[in-house]
Amino acid sequence: MSIASGLRGRHLTRRLVQLYAGLALYGISSALLVRGGLGLEPWGVLHQGLAERTGLSIGVVSIIVGAAVLLLWIPIRQRPGLGTVSNVFVIGLAMDGTLALVPETDGLPAGIALLLLGIVLNGAATGLYIAARFGPGPRDGLMTGLHRLTGRSIRLVRTAIEVAVVATGFLLGGSVGVGTVLYALAIGPLAQFFLRWFAVPEEDSGSHGADAPATASAAPDPGSPLREGGSALSDPAAGVPDPASGVADPASGVRAA
């Protein structure tokens, strides 16, 4: 799959709208989790921790981390799509823009409301951009590439990555809390629901255009190695967590883009 692959077909306009709407909404939802203050998705924990240490905005850190992860695709021979490259930039920009507009909350009720809204919007965002089928996000591509190279299960690879990400982010000052756990439990079912809701019909010719973040069709093939525990796997930022992993996508994500 190349970056330009899939840029054709009668559903192209709809797919592009879904891609960029989904990525922007993912950044917005991640920012709402930050403002909620009750815990972030796994890769968000790392991004926040790095932002605390470097003084950079969390959106800029998200872009830098996404680009660094994308470089890791080279030795594991993963190929990016338009959605992969867009994921790196759009989510971080949308996140910083939202944080600039939404003030910090005061009080538990407001924090809970932002947490719940952020999780639901994150699920919708994931369904939108995955169903567009323009390629996996950087973090999910890393996961699937390591799965292919090592022969280890998706569940094990994802769990190992996210445990490392959350632990590192927490040690750096990232926010881990009840929201992290709730995100991990809810995002898989939500993303699967929205994947079906936003599914784009395949072309009559049988050409898929571009690979989806964890599947070549809008609704993941139940027989795919990228399906575990009955949930779709994606990035946003990381993408959709595998609920069976037992890790708060604890990135994403976390989740991501």
Side-chain angles (χ1 to χ4, degrees), residues 75-211:
I76 61 177
R77 298 181 180 179
Q78 292 284 89
R79 294 184 180 180
L82 175 64
T84 310
V85 177
S86 298
N87 182 296
V88 172
F89 297 100
V90 176
I91 291 177
L93 293 174
M95 194 173 183
D96 273 352
T98 303
L99 289 172
L101 295 173
V102 178
E104 293 188 10
T105 58
D106 217 359
L108 185 60
I112 292 174
L114 286 178
L115 170 65
L116 296 177
L117 179 59
I119 291 174
V120 172
L121 290 180
N122 196 280
T126 299
L128 275 167
Y129 88 80
I130 290 180
R133 304 194 310 274
F134 278 111
R139 297 157 186 84
D140 277 335
L142 175 64
M143 174 188 68
T144 56
L146 290 175
H147 157 71
R148 188 186 69 250
L149 285 179
T150 64
R152 302 293 184 180
S153 69
I154 285 287
R155 180 181 305 180
L156 178 60
V157 173
R158 188 176 189 102
T159 299
I161 291 174
E162 291 187 351
V163 166
V165 165
V166 173
T168 303
F170 178 73
L171 292 174
L172 291 172
S175 176
V176 177
V178 64
T180 308
V181 177
L182 184 59
Y183 181 96
L185 294 174
I187 194 63
L190 282 171
Q192 187 65 26
F193 170 79
F194 285 111
L195 267 168
R196 292 171 179 156
W197 186 269
F198 295 119
V200 178
E202 297 288 352
E203 298 297 328
D204 294 338
S205 64
S207 172
H208 293 302
D211 294 335

Side-chain angles (χ1 to χ4, degrees), residues 207-226:
S207 172
H208 293 302
D211 294 335
T215 176
S217 62
D221 176 2
S224 167
L226 305 184

